[in-house]
Amino acid sequence: MPAIIVDPVTVALFGALGDLALRKLFPALYQLDRAGLLHDGTRILALSRDLGEPAGYLERIEAALRQRIAEGELDEAVLARFLARLDYLGLDFVTRDGYQTLAERVAPELPVIAYCATPASVFGPICEHLAAVGLAPRTRVVLEKPIGHDLTSSRKINDAVAEHFPESQVYRIDHYLGKETVQNLIALRFANSLFETQWDHNHISHVEITVAETVGIEGRWGYFDKAGQLRDMVQNHLLQLLCLTAMDPPSNLAADSIRDEKVKVLKALAPIRRETIAQHVVRGQYGAGYVGGKAVPGYLEEENANPDSGTETFVAIRAEICNWRWAGVPFYLRTGKRMAQKLSQIVIHFREPPFYIFAPEQRSIITNRLIIRLQPQEGISLQVMTKEQGLDKGMHLRSGPLQLNFSETYKSARIPDAYERLLLEVMQGNQNLFVRKDEVDYAWQWCDQLIEGWSSLGDRPKIYPAGSWGPVASIALITRDGRSWYGDL
Ligand code: BG6
């Protein structure tokens, strides 16, 4: 029996035949069912603009599940139970027609989770119509990113939602917050006094946050070209990682206590003005190259590409947080598509000891680093200095890891996908892992100034070969400070 009890709900999934729903949301709901975390009374109402026969659509969802769920995790009995929870309704999301039927199809009195796996332009109309048919008081609205493409447009969307739903009923997804290791950041920092007492400019010299992907645009050129890597990854995932790394200890685990601390970090981010943008930010775009030994096209040669596009697929930023804790500590952020390796990690570099007594030629290896690995091989590694063993080694130093690899250490425990965690949290009405409106605002505000700076300078992104670690300028960005990106091969 699972250790937690989850009450019954109706999940009204808008965009149920879209890529996200078929790839992530249905498999996540299936996994929750398999883990015994869906109440017997929980039902899923798949909503899509396709108005055809329901049976055909349910078959499509089943086929997607069979394709996505790993063989050892596909249990026919659970699958049958899960499919029996599904119902389908074709609906034009933006007009009122059909919402009355929706209201009749959801279980009376139970909470409704309105999951909007749709473009943000329809969040407002969906909320308006749900309210019009009387569902607002018992509905939690889940909003997928991206919320707008700048501060003005995101405010408009959030305001349209707020007309019908208070913030306490709105769950904005950033799927990075559902990743196990990201949640572990809170445990690591605030359950280990060892780290928290060292967590400031007195002990830490700099921090790196890397989110590198080997994939390219994967048929999403239309969306991606309007967004670019800054809007797609930095505005949300990287800034959330930065906030969780840099925030002050919250006074408790309540959603707003954590979110208040994150907002303080966003507010303290130093603006990067047009005059300094070239020293602090690098934009790149991948050219043709090799990933995993396979030749891949450049961004401008991808299917349906506009060959003149100046959209960035890589960003590196030297950010600073203007507060007492982090004064003078650079946070180097970088993220890109078609990079050498799929890798998401946070590296905390501790300062050198104040006085040095070992052989001078070994000085450069003396450094403690804490590496928090989000993917792949989730885990934590603390790089420490020890003496080499052996009679002939004298006081010869060596740097080695104290390592905790979650998947190897806790072999029996499967690491859940981020969406499983996030769906479970919404079902429990817990907003901890969701982004509050003011976080979105401040994150956009900071990103908007970068976008404005770029467009006023009119520079094109720097080309890097697919399969590399990004443009040479991103190496220069960190070497100018006498440092290098950790672990680049
Ligand atoms: C999404 C972005 O939010 O995150 C994608 O829109 C990106 O472009 C994806 O590929 C990366 O997520 P993950 O979990 O694979 O690191």
Side-chain angles (χ1 to χ4, degrees), residues 145 175-176 179 211 213 215 220 223-224 232-233 236-237 337 342 344 375:
K145 78 167 251 287
H175 79 278
Y176 267 56
K179 291 186 190 271
V211 177
E213 298 179 84
V215 290
R220 295 193 307 153
Y223 153 74
F224 188 85
D232 188 47
M233 297 293 287
N236 35 75
H237 308 323
K337 309 260 183 251
K342 178 157 175 85
S344 301
Q375 58 194 18

Side-chain angles (χ1 to χ4, degrees), residues 56-77:
Y57 297 121
L58 295 180
E59 276 164 24
R60 259 176 82 180
I61 295 170
E62 177 179 352
L65 280 170
R66 287 190 182 278
Q67 190 195 341
R68 297 274 162 199
I69 307 287
E71 211 178 309
E73 295 175 358
L74 193 71
D75 176 327
E76 289 297 334

Side-chain angles (χ1 to χ4, degrees), residues 407-447:
S407 31
E408 272 174 26
T409 311
Y410 309 115
K411 273 201 176 71
S412 57
R414 165 182 174 272
I415 297 184
D417 183 75
Y419 279 98
E420 295 170 38
R421 157 72 52 204
L422 295 174
L423 280 159
L424 184 62
E425 297 288 318
V426 191
M427 288 181 194
Q428 294 175 298
N430 182 358
Q431 288 186 303
N432 259 347
L433 302 181
F434 298 87
V435 184
R436 203 169 59 191
K437 179 178 173 298
D438 50 350
E439 291 179 73
V440 180
D441 285 355
Y442 285 110
W444 271 126
Q445 201 168 310
W446 195 70
C447 289

Side-chain angles (χ1 to χ4, degrees), residues 104-123:
E104 285 154 20
R105 292 275 196 95
V106 302
E109 285 166 27
L110 290 186
V112 176
I113 293 173
Y115 197 119
C116 302
T118 62
S121 53
V122 297
F123 294 169

